[in-house]
Amino acid sequence: VGLPNVGKSSLFNLLGDSADAAAENYPFCTIDPNTARCPVPDKRYKQLCDIWQPPSKYPAYLHLVDIAGLIKGASEGAGLGNAFL
């Protein structure tokens, strides 16, 4: 969540390797929310699985959502970002 045109979509594309959100240099480039998930690597994961031998193994993932920026008056319904909140 942040102001329009400050780099939210660029950060979204950086964190979500396969994310392909439009990151243009004009306000409200993001109209529909973009979603992605990226793995959270943990060196201890394999060792813990070897020790405890769980019936299933699900590593941690970070779920990312990229929405339009919030503008003044968003709490009264102004702008695109308010629709996602």
Side-chain angles (χ1 to χ4, degrees):
V1 176
L3 296 171
N5 213 25
V6 294
K8 293 181 301 301
S9 296
S10 296
L11 181 62
F12 174 83
N13 286 335
L14 180 67
L15 291 175
D17 292 332
S18 63
D20 193 24
E24 306 299 327
N25 192 20
Y26 59 89
F28 302 115
C29 175
T30 303
I31 296 175
D32 295 323
N34 298 299
T35 59
R37 62 181 242 180
C38 61
V40 178
D42 187 347
K43 296 180 212 177
R44 304 165 295 177
Y45 181 72
K46 184 181 179 322
Q47 183 182 5
L48 290 172
C49 287
D50 290 342
I51 293 170
W52 296 103
Q53 299 178 356
S56 59
K57 299 176 184 176
Y58 295 101
Y61 280 90
L62 177 65
H63 294 270
L64 306 168
V65 180
D66 179 35
I67 65 169
L70 296 176
I71 62 169
K72 183 176 180 180
S75 61
E76 287 91 36
L80 299 173
N82 186 48
F84 304 119
L85 298 176

